[in-house]
Amino acid sequence: MKKENYVPTMKDVAKEAGVALGTVSKVVNGLPVGEPYRIRVEEAIKKLNYQVNSYAQGLKASKTYTAALLIPNTQDPFFSSITYHINTALLKRNYRMLLCCTDYDSNLEQEYVIMAQQNKVDGIIGLTYNPGLKIEEQTPFVSIDRSMGAKIPCVASDNFAGGQLAAEKLADLGCKHAAFLRIGSSLSNEPNKRKSGFENGCLARGLSYEMKILNDGDSFEEFEHFLNEHIEDGKLSFDGIFCVTDSVAYSVLKILGKLGQRVPEDVQVIGYDGTRILGDKEYVCSTIVQPVPDIAEMCVELLLQENMMQKPPLVCLPVTYVPGGTTLEPSQEQE
Amino acid sequence: MKKENYVPTMKDVAKEAGVALGTVSKVVNGLPVGEPYRIRVEEAIKKLNYQVNSYAQGLKASKTYTAALLIPNTQDPFFSSITYHINTALLKRNYRMLLCCTDYDSNLEQEYVIMAQQNKVDGIIGLTYNPGLKIEEQTPFVSIDRSMGAKIPCVASDNFAGGQLAAEKLADLGCKHAAFLRIGSSLSNEPNKRKSGFENGCLARGLSYEMKILNDGDSFEEFEHFLNEHIEDGKLSFDGIFCVTDSVAYSVLKILGKLGQRVPEDVQVIGYDGTRILGDKEYVCSTIVQPVPDIAEMCVELLLQENMMQKPPLVCLPVTYVPGGTTLEPSQEQE
């Protein structure tokens, strides 16, 4: 039996395989060697349970087998889901993941970008709201939900199609006059396309609509004022509402209750994200579901793809609609 | 101005500071040098914006300034909250964090423990349900919620006190006959103390109680059967229920609704964890709140503490009770 603290070295692997040390090094670093040698080395690595020292390897081959994820936090359900799926996509490829919850701290984000530029990590996947982030062209960086320039791939759900789908669904479900409610960063980013898609869908289906757009930091009370202004004789003039996120929808559902409006009988509500209560229970509302596992896979695929030139600048992945009790679905009066 | 791709080396720092290369190395690795030398080196590091290469440093000083977190996933609200707070506690100390969502994969967990034993990370904080995990005595490992042996510190909320507090609250709120509902791992772990604490609290306050204990994998329908069996003439014999987690409470609230029982009028419900809907909105139910930021700080403090002998084997941090609409609080009929 092996001793308790025995840690095999590259030399032990070379001895076991009966090959030169340089051959082991080549195999470990993914450089070409004759097939029979590669097999012998890999068998020796397995037999000895040799663990590649990635730090030493990092210095030699500029590969750390580590990627970093920049995300504002892991408490928002969409962020926690994307973190989980990116983590599992990386682990599946024997990559490790540094997690950095940025809390929107741009210095922290820049620090991690510098780490990538100095080859301390192989690349970065980032969901950032920092327009000043400096990323050199050759730095492996994949952005989620926000375009950072033509040379940096951005992966998002198909926000335009999602907005359009929401409008089409409301029209199909019998709505005549809809509202779009949005709160969020005023920066140009992918989720802003939900609005354009929604407008497009409304126009295509002849669904009239109004919009209420708030900026980050504005109070939700403004939604309440807006909705209240559209109530006459106890009746809301909107019979369908598309909210920019499920989180907004959740708050809007509370406001509607307060204003005496029944959902979905008086007004139907569709959100965006596909958030489930407590992570795995029912949907918060009828919603446009982001394909989070697909977004995660795509981010990791693009990050690890070596040829920068072949990386597409923007990848939009298809969304789906699921009823979640806040719409009047055809087969039922109410979920 | 500096060139676009200029990355200063340790040599540049030595030249700038007018000291020997070895002096820079000592400062970078935290070894003693004369105070005036240390100041000159630190000023040069700042001026050149020299980034310590921690991988090279890792090989020299056995310090990587990286810790790993093993957690089943980041989608469960408690896990996502602990991940966020441990991440921020590490970043605050200029540590990086490798995240490993284990999905209960014990091989993956063991791999990360081996990484710590080989000094590829400085230590591990783990929330694991793997009783077979092999951790050498000197490996810096801090466990959350489960005792892994006397030599490995475990940090948890004060589960016993929390169970007791739940019983006391139910008694204070007028309950006469309570139930404790539990589902979870049958392994000996800290959360199991919620049951003992609850029993203790019931006995102390003369509150009669019954228990229904399910194992992982059992169906929630068994709770429904159990509760249904305790309904006579439409009236549930329990007027207070303590659920082992907020997630269980959430499902039990649905079952109670289905069985025609009003909460909190007919039966009051208290959960455990302090989970908020969508991460930052209202509490799921009246609940015993785990001090997650304190648990995270304590885990990181213990992990980075060098003297293994001084690490306490079990740290239980105080919990609090918050009303969350599923109890009849004194100042109100109903929240």
Side-chain angles (χ1 to χ4, degrees), chain B residues 106-332:
Chain B
S106 48
N107 289 329
L108 199 51
E109 292 177 339
Q110 193 65 58
E111 228 173 76
Y112 275 75
V113 171
I114 289 170
M115 279 174 57
Q117 283 160 195
Q118 297 181 343
N119 299 319
K120 289 175 190 168
V121 294
D122 292 355
I124 292 182
I125 297 171
L127 198 162
T128 163
Y129 297 82
N130 174 8
L133 198 60
K134 287 187 195 73
I135 305 169
E136 289 173 10
E137 254 186 39
Q138 289 305 307
T139 307
F141 191 107
V142 174
S143 172
I144 302 170
D145 272 353
R146 185 168 160 266
S147 173
M148 312 279 286
K151 297 295 170 68
I152 294 168
C154 171
V155 180
S157 67
D158 191 339
N159 286 285
F160 188 91
Q164 185 161 325
L165 180 57
E168 289 167 359
K169 275 288 157 189
L170 288 177
D172 289 348
L173 295 169
C175 295
K176 301 295 174 206
H177 188 52
F180 172 68
L181 304 184
R182 177 187 176 284
I183 188 164
S185 160
S186 54
L187 285 173
S188 148
N189 61 28
E190 283 304 305
N192 287 351
K193 294 183 182 167
R194 292 171 197 172
K195 169 176 167 286
S196 315
F198 182 75
E199 287 182 282
N200 204 53
C202 286
L203 292 171
R205 292 295 178 100
L207 179 62
S208 69
Y209 66 93
E210 294 182 43
M211 305 224 172
K212 181 67 184 175
I213 313 282
L214 303 184
N215 286 318
D216 264 339
D218 286 350
S219 164
F220 266 84
E221 285 180 21
E222 296 199 33
F223 283 143
E224 186 169 343
H225 294 150
F226 172 77
L227 292 171
N228 206 13
E229 279 167 9
H230 286 80
I231 292 179
E232 212 166 305
D233 298 329
K235 197 176 148 49
L236 183 68
S237 64
F238 307 117
D239 52 6
I241 298 179
F242 174 45
C243 297
V244 71
T245 64
D246 291 339
S247 176
V248 168
Y250 185 83
S251 298
V252 166
L253 289 171
K254 299 214 164 240
I255 292 170
L256 289 170
K258 208 168 139 189
L259 296 175
Q261 304 299 314
R262 293 170 307 159
V263 176
E265 298 86 346
D266 300 329
V267 55
Q268 304 189 62
V269 175
I270 295 179
Y272 197 106
D273 276 346
T275 310
R276 287 168 183 267
I277 294 285
L278 305 193
D280 64 352
K281 306 204 190 292
E282 75 271 24
Y283 289 99
V284 166
C285 55
S286 298
T287 182
I288 307 299
V289 184
Q290 295 214 45
V292 178
D294 300 342
I295 291 173
E297 276 290 323
M298 183 59 70
C299 285
V300 170
E301 277 295 325
L302 289 175
L303 190 74
L304 302 187
Q305 186 179 312
E306 306 251 328
N307 189 341
M308 290 298 287
M309 296 306 290
Q310 285 178 359
K311 299 187 186 189
L314 173 62
V315 179
C316 297
L317 297 170
V319 294
T320 48
Y321 166 80
V322 293
T326 57
T327 43
L328 284 166
E329 299 301 319
S331 60
Q332 62 205 67

Side-chain angles (χ1 to χ4, degrees), chain A residues 4-5 7-8 49-56 58-59 64 66-67 72-77 79-85 87-88 91 94-103 108 111-112 114-115 117-121 136 220 246-248 250-251 254 275-282 284, chain B residues 4-5 7-8 49-56 58-59 64 66-67 72-77 79-85 87-88 91 94-103 108 111-112 114-115 117-121 136 220 246-248 250-251 254 275-282 284:
Chain A
E4 186 74 13
N5 285 307
V7 175
N49 190 26
Y50 170 70
Q51 309 280 331
V52 177
N53 182 332
S54 318
Y55 292 109
L59 291 174
T64 62
T66 306
N73 61 66
T74 59
Q75 297 190 291
D76 171 274
F79 296 158
S80 75
S81 182
I82 200 93
T83 300
Y84 170 72
H85 288 288
N87 192 255
T88 52
L91 293 175
N94 285 315
Y95 264 72
R96 297 188 287 250
M97 187 184 98
L98 288 176
L99 174 66
C100 176
C101 291
T102 62
D103 275 322
L108 199 51
E111 227 174 75
Y112 275 74
I114 290 171
M115 278 174 58
Q117 283 163 193
Q118 297 182 341
N119 299 318
K120 289 174 189 168
V121 295
E136 289 173 12
F220 266 83
D246 291 340
S247 176
V248 168
Y250 185 83
S251 299
K254 300 216 165 238
T275 311
R276 288 167 182 268
I277 294 283
L278 304 192
D280 65 352
K281 306 205 189 292
E282 75 272 24
V284 167
Chain B
E4 187 73 10
N5 285 306
V7 175
N49 192 25
Y50 170 70
Q51 307 280 329
V52 178
N53 182 332
S54 318
Y55 292 107
L59 292 173
T64 62
T66 305
N73 60 66
T74 58
Q75 298 190 290
D76 170 275
F79 296 158
S80 74
S81 182
I82 200 97
T83 300
Y84 170 73
H85 287 288
N87 193 254
T88 51
L91 292 176
N94 284 315
Y95 264 71
R96 297 187 287 248
M97 187 183 98
L98 287 175
L99 174 67
C100 177
C101 291
T102 63
D103 274 323
L108 199 51
E111 228 173 76
Y112 275 75
I114 289 170
M115 279 174 57
Q117 283 160 195
Q118 297 181 343
N119 299 319
K120 289 175 190 168
V121 294
E136 289 173 10
F220 266 84
D246 291 339
S247 176
V248 168
Y250 185 83
S251 298
K254 299 214 164 240
T275 310
R276 287 168 183 267
I277 294 285
L278 305 193
D280 64 352
K281 306 204 190 292
E282 75 271 24
V284 166

